Amino acid sequence: MNGPSLALRQRSLGDPATEFPLFPPLTRGCPKTSTDEIAYPLEITYDYARVDRRLFEQEPGTDIARWSPLLPPLEAPSLGEGGTPLVEFDGVHGAPRSAAHRRLQNCIYVKDESRNPTWSHKDRLNRVAVSAAVASGAPGVVVASSGNHGASAAAYAARAGLPAIVLTSADSPPAVQAFVRAYGARVLSVPAEKRWPLLREIVERLGYHPVSNQTVTHTGHPFGPEGYKTIAYELFLQLGRVPAAVFAPTGYAELLYGVWKGFVELRLLGLAGTLPRMFSCETAAGGPHARALATGAPAAVVELGASDAYGIAGPVGGHRGVVAVRDSGGAALLVTDEELRSAQRDLARQGLWQELSGAAGLAGYRQARLDFDGPVVCLATSSGFKDVGVGVERFPVLEDPTLEDLAPDA
Amino acid sequence: MNGPSLALRQRSLGDPATEFPLFPPLTRGCPKTSTDEIAYPLEITYDYARVDRRLFEQEPGTDIARWSPLLPPLEAPSLGEGGTPLVEFDGVHGAPRSAAHRRLQNCIYVKDESRNPTWSHKDRLNRVAVSAAVASGAPGVVVASSGNHGASAAAYAARAGLPAIVLTSADSPPAVQAFVRAYGARVLSVPAEKRWPLLREIVERLGYHPVSNQTVTHTGHPFGPEGYKTIAYELFLQLGRVPAAVFAPTGYAELLYGVWKGFVELRLLGLAGTLPRMFSCETAAGGPHARALATGAPAAVVELGASDAYGIAGPVGGHRGVVAVRDSGGAALLVTDEELRSAQRDLARQGLWQELSGAAGLAGYRQARLDFDGPVVCLATSSGFKDVGVGVERFPVLEDPTLEDLAPDA
């Protein structure tokens, strides 16, 4: 039942009547509706009438090809992405709640995306985006990223036998720099302002396929968010229903939009009757989607302050996040580093060690203080190993330890 | 069909006629057959006649409770362990082989255990061992470990609401020290020779449940290897058959033995007709199982030289590894750090970044140069983030990058 891709065309988010062929992927946004101030992204349309509903009788598992009819053609091999667990989170205490307590209250769940091949959600996007590079016959892949996205693109390119160039910054934690370099890509640490002109030159002169944004407001890769739809499919099967709300760590909002689109498709296919409210959880140091929603703009660029949540802290927003929040009746939340640290600590105290950015979903849920008529999902995107400061702190050695050293106040 | 545990008793590996009740778990080896020189571990027996074979019509997934009839009682909650992908490895080139080539040769597969909740295989063991602590009514869990095992035990204890004490060493990489501390356990860095007396004191005076070895040759937790059996169950379903050989990174050989026992059970249940050959892949700096097998001893302790594969480098072996290699017609292989680095690099060039120890399975397979009549599985146990040296190296920033900086010889 998971046969070939039923993808049809690229469609502009600036005007749904504006469509383009599926290839080549329009990696600089919609050429018709974009302006000098706002670039509009594209999404992919499918021949939904031909989708076999038995697709959703499958169990989730580690290869998003099980959803191939609802994805662009997967020409790049899998590294076993997807099939991540949904872990119940107790919002109050350290231990899971009792069964009796659970029946009384709706549950909070954590979707642990640190369980992907390069230990972040980005692998779902890169399976699809690197597939576009392969399908386009590109001689290589180029990405500008200081962390998860660069490493994931490098891993999928390596798997597909394509050379990769990663333009990174010197700001990312040393362990993450080793991570990005591990997969054999050409990695250049360059000043932030030099990344985008160099990326463009590599695309134009070497013909490399870009899996990073190249526009004034974010558009990114037109196929990328399609990979994130698989999170919605998995949640639907894992919960046996559509959640009431989804809280997502949000930088460019590709994740938020992709998950939203997945649920929209489930309703369109007649499999689900409801839609979740989508909450964009951005760092208070920036928050371009919160700004756009507050001002009624289709997208926004903001000043960026200091934050350790480097995985989601960026000045540039896009139209996708605005669509997901607006159409779902959700909200854009701005979480401080302090709120992120609190959420990160409490996730770890229940056995889930997340990167600071990865805890933004839970931090947003806690800040919102809303009641929902159904289960709530907080997306947790990445492993704690990738955080700023990991590996920096040194700990003392007790040369002559005794039981007294274990006293709570020792 | 995955009902309650069918576990019956603890049985000595020193003498299969020597049995004990299932509780309390005998965490100091078999009290009847052990001597001053050799401690014998225990295994768990089950009421196999009552196992519903439909258990193996399930798909693998992220909670080993799906195999609960064939595990000790799982009293500790899941963090979503297991259900890891099986990724094909091309032993020659960077890219996956063609379908035609695949038909001609047996495939090499990598079972990527870095996809567990704390990004190593240890989570399968700790779900089971921490469950034993909960079932025993212990007030806490104590573990001596400088890495994956300590962090995993801390995560599962946190999830179960049990306090944990981790006795670690100052030698482990700084990022791993942060990892072990992330889950809220009491962590003490103590000199290596002080760890075992302090562990014993914590067990005896505080009543904490030990999930580390306490005997002269390795016995460890009697329930622990049962968690690793689930790897065999998953491999059987993922391959649709029993592999011809399994190569496992080996320190204490709990992994090697657990996987072996899982396949023995599949044959006993009439589901499989064959058994794999089991290969213990130990660091050449030590290799207690290779020594025991070469000398005919039931277990051995060796001098330990220098190795960066700290996850598997230890002087103390146990009887489990001897049984798995001997009974399966396998071999114990000694791999150098150089062979490990080569395997690690080639795994990363196919998109899988493993800890040095985690690459020992592939390193062993390459060293053995054996032909097998069927698929070969190399277990890959842990994420590259945990390695010695990760986060230490600094990389230069190119202030004025050009395309020329991307030349292969730049």
Side-chain angles (χ1 to χ4, degrees):
Chain A
M1 80 210 83
N2 53 346
S5 171
L6 299 174
L8 295 175
R9 282 176 292 280
Q10 298 179 82
R11 179 164 64 189
S12 173
L13 255 69
D15 169 18
T18 301
E19 292 195 335
F20 304 89
L22 191 61
F23 285 94
L26 297 169
T27 55
R28 289 180 189 168
C30 174
K32 289 198 184 158
T33 59
S34 298
T35 67
D36 285 350
E37 288 76 38
I38 302 287
Y40 283 97
L42 298 124
E43 64 162 332
I44 308 305
T45 64
Y46 296 84
D47 189 355
Y48 290 112
R50 289 178 55 209
V51 173
D52 185 340
R53 270 69 171 170
R54 284 176 302 171
L55 205 58
F56 293 92
E57 290 169 14
Q58 299 180 102
E59 283 191 50
T62 51
D63 182 350
I64 62 169
R66 71 196 57 222
W67 315 113
S68 53
L70 288 167
L71 295 172
L74 294 176
E75 299 288 331
S78 179
L79 287 168
E81 64 288 331
T84 59
L86 193 62
V87 181
E88 196 187 331
F89 181 82
D90 184 327
V92 187
H93 306 295
R97 290 180 292 192
S98 68
H101 191 183
R102 268 202 294 275
R103 278 191 298 273
L104 292 172
Q105 277 191 251
N106 283 313
C107 286
I108 313 305
Y109 294 96
V110 177
K111 179 77 166 162
D112 183 7
E113 289 289 300
S114 80
R115 305 281 301 279
N116 276 298
T118 70
W119 314 292
S120 91
H121 64 302
K122 293 283 186 184
D123 294 320
R124 300 186 193 250
L125 178 148
N126 279 299
R127 173 82 189 279
V128 174
V130 173
S131 286
V134 173
S136 303
V141 162
V142 60
V143 55
S145 159
S146 52
N148 283 321
H149 182 39
S152 175
Y156 277 86
R159 183 75 187 164
L162 274 186
I165 298 171
V166 183
L167 306 179
T168 187
S169 77
D171 301 337
S172 58
V176 171
Q177 298 204 29
F179 172 45
V180 171
R181 283 169 167 81
Y183 300 100
R186 288 307 300 266
V187 180
L188 294 189
S189 272
V190 300
E193 71 279 8
K194 302 279 173 71
R195 284 159 81 179
W196 310 107
L198 187 58
L199 175 77
R200 186 171 270 254
E201 200 178 351
I202 291 165
V203 171
E204 288 176 358
R205 289 183 46 194
L206 303 184
Y208 274 38
H209 198 80
V211 292
S212 284
N213 185 55
Q214 298 183 86
T215 49
V216 58
T217 57
H218 186 270
T219 57
H221 198 287
F223 292 12
E226 303 297 310
Y228 293 136
K229 293 191 316 192
T230 60
I231 294 176
Y233 304 160
E234 291 179 14
L235 287 174
F236 178 63
L237 296 176
Q238 288 172 313
L239 292 168
R241 58 166 290 176
V242 173
V246 177
F247 289 79
T250 295
Y252 294 131
E254 291 169 294
L255 173 64
L256 189 82
Y257 177 79
V259 174
W260 167 245
K261 184 174 175 185
F263 283 115
V264 169
E265 289 180 334
L266 288 168
R267 193 176 63 165
L268 194 131
L269 291 166
L271 292 158
T274 62
L275 291 167
R277 293 173 68 188
M278 301 296 297
F279 291 85
S280 164
C281 304
E282 304 176 71
T283 162
H289 300 93
R291 170 77 62 84
L293 284 153
T295 60
V301 177
V302 297
E303 292 269 311
L304 183 64
S307 169
D308 283 339
Y310 73 96
I312 55 171
V316 177
H319 190 50
R320 290 192 185 100
V322 170
V323 168
V325 169
R326 184 193 64 201
D327 292 1
S328 75
L333 306 164
L334 296 174
V335 293
T336 65
D337 278 22
E338 193 183 348
E339 289 172 307
L340 289 169
R341 280 188 219 291
S342 168
Q344 180 186 43
R345 185 189 59 236
D346 292 347
L347 284 165
R349 295 296 158 87
Q350 294 192 30
L352 301 169
W353 188 38
Q354 287 285 318
E355 186 183 326
L356 196 63
S357 298
L362 179 62
Y365 166 71
R366 286 176 164 187
Q367 188 195 77
R369 295 178 175 273
L370 292 170
D371 287 322
F372 295 98
D373 186 20
V376 171
V377 174
C378 298
L379 303 181
T381 47
S382 175
S383 160
F385 271 105
K386 298 159 176 180
D387 236 338
V388 174
V390 167
V392 172
E393 197 180 350
R394 291 298 186 276
F395 303 93
V397 177
L398 293 176
E399 289 300 334
D400 198 16
T402 68
L403 278 198
E404 281 63 50
D405 294 314
L406 293 166
D409 55 352
Chain B
M1 81 211 82
N2 54 346
S5 171
L6 298 173
L8 294 176
R9 282 177 291 280
Q10 297 179 83
R11 179 164 65 189
S12 173
L13 256 68
D15 168 19
T18 301
E19 293 194 336
F20 303 91
L22 190 62
F23 285 94
L26 297 169
T27 55
R28 288 180 188 168
C30 174
K32 290 199 183 156
T33 58
S34 299
T35 67
D36 286 349
E37 288 75 39
I38 303 288
Y40 284 98
L42 297 124
E43 64 162 331
I44 309 304
T45 65
Y46 296 85
D47 189 355
Y48 290 112
R50 290 178 54 207
V51 173
D52 185 339
R53 269 72 171 169
R54 284 177 301 170
L55 204 58
F56 294 91
E57 291 170 13
Q58 299 178 101
E59 282 190 52
T62 51
D63 181 351
I64 62 169
R66 71 195 59 222
W67 314 113
S68 53
L70 288 167
L71 295 173
L74 294 176
E75 299 286 333
S78 178
L79 287 168
E81 63 289 331
T84 60
L86 193 63
V87 181
E88 196 187 331
F89 181 82
D90 184 327
V92 188
H93 306 296
R97 290 180 291 193
S98 68
H101 192 186
R102 268 203 294 276
R103 278 191 297 273
L104 292 172
Q105 277 191 252
N106 283 312
C107 286
I108 314 304
Y109 293 97
V110 177
K111 179 78 167 162
D112 183 6
E113 289 289 300
S114 80
R115 305 283 300 278
N116 276 298
T118 69
W119 314 292
S120 91
H121 64 303
K122 294 283 185 183
D123 293 321
R124 300 186 194 251
L125 179 149
N126 279 299
R127 172 83 188 279
V128 175
V130 173
S131 286
V134 173
S136 303
V141 162
V142 59
V143 55
S145 160
S146 51
N148 284 320
H149 183 38
S152 175
Y156 277 85
R159 184 75 187 164
L162 274 185
I165 298 171
V166 183
L167 306 179
T168 187
S169 78
D171 300 338
S172 58
V176 171
Q177 299 204 27
F179 172 44
V180 171
R181 284 170 167 80
Y183 300 100
R186 289 307 299 267
V187 180
L188 294 189
S189 272
V190 301
E193 71 280 7
K194 302 279 173 73
R195 284 159 80 179
W196 309 108
L198 186 59
L199 176 76
R200 186 171 270 252
E201 200 179 350
I202 291 164
V203 172
E204 288 176 359
R205 288 182 46 193
L206 304 184
Y208 273 40
H209 197 80
V211 292
S212 283
N213 185 55
Q214 299 184 84
T215 49
V216 59
T217 58
H218 186 270
T219 57
H221 198 287
F223 292 12
E226 302 297 310
Y228 293 136
K229 293 191 315 192
T230 59
I231 294 176
Y233 305 160
E234 291 178 14
L235 288 173
F236 178 65
L237 296 175
Q238 288 172 312
L239 292 168
R241 58 165 289 177
V242 173
V246 176
F247 290 78
T250 295
Y252 294 131
E254 291 170 293
L255 173 64
L256 189 82
Y257 177 80
V259 174
W260 167 244
K261 185 175 174 185
F263 284 114
V264 169
E265 289 180 334
L266 289 168
R267 192 176 64 166
L268 194 128
L269 291 166
L271 292 158
T274 62
L275 290 167
R277 293 173 67 187
M278 300 296 298
F279 292 85
S280 164
C281 305
E282 304 176 71
T283 162
H289 301 94
R291 171 76 62 82
L293 284 154
T295 60
V301 177
V302 298
E303 292 269 311
L304 183 66
S307 168
D308 282 339
Y310 73 96
I312 56 171
V316 176
H319 190 50
R320 290 193 184 97
V322 171
V323 168
V325 169
R326 185 193 63 201
D327 291 2
S328 74
L333 306 164
L334 297 174
V335 293
T336 64
D337 278 22
E338 194 183 347
E339 289 172 308
L340 289 169
R341 281 187 218 291
S342 168
Q344 180 186 43
R345 185 189 58 235
D346 292 346
L347 283 165
R349 295 297 159 87
Q350 294 193 27
L352 301 168
W353 188 37
Q354 286 284 318
E355 186 184 326
L356 196 63
S357 299
L362 179 62
Y365 165 71
R366 287 175 163 186
Q367 189 196 76
R369 295 177 174 276
L370 292 170
D371 287 322
F372 296 98
D373 185 21
V376 171
V377 173
C378 298
L379 303 180
T381 46
S382 175
S383 160
F385 271 104
K386 298 160 176 179
D387 236 338
V388 174
V390 167
V392 172
E393 197 180 350
R394 292 296 186 278
F395 304 93
V397 177
L398 293 176
E399 291 299 335
D400 199 17
T402 69
L403 278 198
E404 281 63 50
D405 294 313
L406 293 166
D409 55 351

